[in-house]
Amino acid sequence: MNETSIDQTDIEKLHSLKRWATAVYLCQVLAFAFAGVPLLVGAAINFMKQDAVKGTFLESHFDWQIKTLWIALAGLALSGLTFEFGIGLFILIATVVLMVYRIVIGWHALHADQPVRE
């Protein structure tokens, strides 16, 4: 094989992985409408494709998306545990705002073909 075909294969692989990252961001958005189930689907995609993105700018996106999942789960659990004390609603609102922020920042960086900067 010549160098051009190898480069083309790498570019096609990167585009495929970028579509997976986009799908995970979409799952995170859909989690608001479908009671969080798409968030778990997105996490499964992240864990299945994590090795394939090693060494690319997409690695930062997959790490960002996994951290977003953990933040969401921790925030929702803490909100549920403290709802009766009157602060659960505030924790829920903060969790939702943080999730939206992380999705917007990540999606914007992805479409600019840039890594997510924390």
Side-chain angles (χ1 to χ4, degrees), residues 20-89:
W20 282 111
T22 302
V24 173
Y25 282 121
L26 181 60
C27 285
Q28 291 178 341
V29 169
L30 292 174
F32 294 109
F34 295 103
V37 174
L39 192 64
L40 301 176
V41 172
I45 293 169
N46 278 141
F47 286 115
M48 288 189 316
K49 298 290 183 180
Q50 199 168 23
D51 290 337
V53 298
K54 292 274 189 227
T56 68
F57 78 95
L58 293 171
E59 185 175 8
S60 69
H61 287 276
F62 277 55
D63 291 342
W64 181 262
Q65 292 167 338
I66 291 168
K67 287 177 187 172
T68 302
L69 166 75
W70 288 116
I71 289 169
L73 292 177
L76 293 174
L78 188 58
S79 172
L81 291 172
T82 59
F83 225 81
E84 283 193 30
F85 302 116
I87 61 170
L89 180 61

